[in-house]
Amino acid sequence: MKEMLYKNINMKSGLVLIVILTLMVWGGYNWQEKRQYEDYITNYMMSDELWQVTHSSKKAMNVMEEVTSTKVITPEQASTLSSEFTRIHELTWKYEGMAHEFDRVGERDNLSIGSETSMVAKDIASYFKNMAYELKEAKQLSTEKLKRYQSVLMLTSGWYQVDQEVLGPDTMERLKESGIKGDLWVDYLKALQISTVKTVKSIPVEVEILDFDAYLG
């Protein structure tokens, strides 16, 4: 009887040990997998993709400066603006979501990252995409339309200023050095959001952030 009891105890102990070892291996694997995922994002995704946001902000700003100074927009310019604002939308949307995925928003870091920048960029991209499709030749801008385009220029200028102030000239290297666990990319998204909201609020007429294309139209 005692032998059976000891045997059962040993079997249970063995099972418990197997479960513990399995959990340790599984936990170690998950930790390693998460670490590899973070390294991949830092070294191959984040630095390059957020650099593309800064590049597109500058390019869109340059085109808008040309459009507002000449008071004319061409199909080629409309197409370029559509592409650049689409890139800004897609990548800021992606990293705004990633900020939530990595728990980098809310009370823990006293940060709040919304989707204002990506939504405004999406609306502007849609507006210029439709224009590029419909426009057959260069078009003279009315005074009212010019005022609205200047608001777009203000947005891109604000984003470019954020790029310079938060990221500086060595964008990719600084993002790689800071990494996904660092604050740099979060600070960048936060600053973009603040700039976007500030610019939209400065427009003389009331504009809905989620309906910016209606304002342009």
Side-chain angles (χ1 to χ4, degrees):
M1 185 71 177
K2 287 184 178 180
E3 289 180 0
M4 287 290 293
L5 182 61
Y6 288 143
K7 188 175 182 180
N8 287 337
I9 291 173
N10 288 335
M11 287 180 64
K12 289 179 180 178
S13 299
L15 288 172
V16 170
L17 182 60
I18 290 172
V19 170
I20 291 173
L21 289 173
T22 301
L23 289 173
M24 288 176 65
V25 171
W26 181 77
Y29 174 77
N30 278 356
W31 179 87
Q32 183 67 21
E33 189 177 52
K34 183 179 179 182
R35 182 65 180 272
Q36 289 175 347
Y37 177 50
E38 291 174 350
D39 288 344
Y40 172 74
I41 292 173
T42 296
N43 295 316
Y44 299 101
M45 285 174 54
M46 184 178 69
S47 57
D48 178 62
E49 290 181 336
L50 289 183
W51 174 84
Q52 289 183 47
V53 174
T54 70
H55 178 75
S56 289
S57 297
K58 183 178 181 180
K59 191 168 183 179
M61 179 185 70
N62 290 339
V63 175
M64 288 308 303
E65 284 178 341
E66 186 177 349
V67 169
T68 54
S69 64
T70 62
K71 301 179 183 179
V72 170
I73 187 165
T74 66
E76 293 76 18
Q77 288 172 324
S79 179
T80 297
L81 289 168
S82 173
S83 297
E84 300 307 330
F85 279 107
T86 295
R87 184 175 292 110
I88 294 169
H89 157 64
E90 290 175 347
L91 294 177
T92 53
W93 176 262
K94 176 178 180 177
Y95 283 92
E96 285 162 357
M98 200 169 287
H100 288 272
E101 179 185 347
F102 282 94
D103 192 26
R104 299 305 306 276
V105 293
E107 294 181 359
R108 195 192 76 172
D109 293 302
N110 195 29
L111 293 171
S112 178
I113 297 175
S115 56
E116 287 84 353
T117 301
S118 59
M119 290 294 93
V120 167
K122 180 182 179 182
D123 276 0
I124 298 173
S126 176
Y127 170 82
F128 283 115
K129 181 179 180 180
N130 291 334
M131 174 178 282
Y133 178 76
E134 296 171 358
L135 205 60
K136 304 304 179 186
E137 58 185 19
K139 180 181 180 180
Q140 190 78 28
L141 299 177
S142 66
T143 302
E144 183 59 33
K145 188 69 73 175
L146 186 61
K147 288 180 182 178
R148 300 188 180 207
Y149 280 21
Q150 285 169 339
S151 298
V152 178
L153 174 58
M154 286 170 59
L155 276 168
T156 56
S157 298
W159 295 342
Y160 180 67
Q161 185 176 350
V162 167
D163 300 340
Q164 299 303 298
E165 292 177 354
V166 178
L167 299 179
D170 301 320
T171 300
M172 294 183 72
E173 290 305 316
R174 290 199 65 207
L175 285 167
K176 281 185 179 181
E177 184 179 336
S178 176
I180 198 70
K181 290 184 177 180
D183 292 331
L184 184 60
W185 69 285
V186 182
D187 292 342
Y188 176 55
L189 293 176
K190 175 71 173 177
L192 283 178
Q193 176 182 309
I194 291 172
S195 177
T196 300
V197 173
K198 181 180 178 181
T199 300
V200 172
K201 284 184 176 180
S202 72
I203 297 173
V205 297
E206 186 175 348
V207 179
E208 293 290 336
I209 282 185
L210 299 181
D211 200 20
F212 203 85
D213 53 343
Y215 163 70
L216 291 175

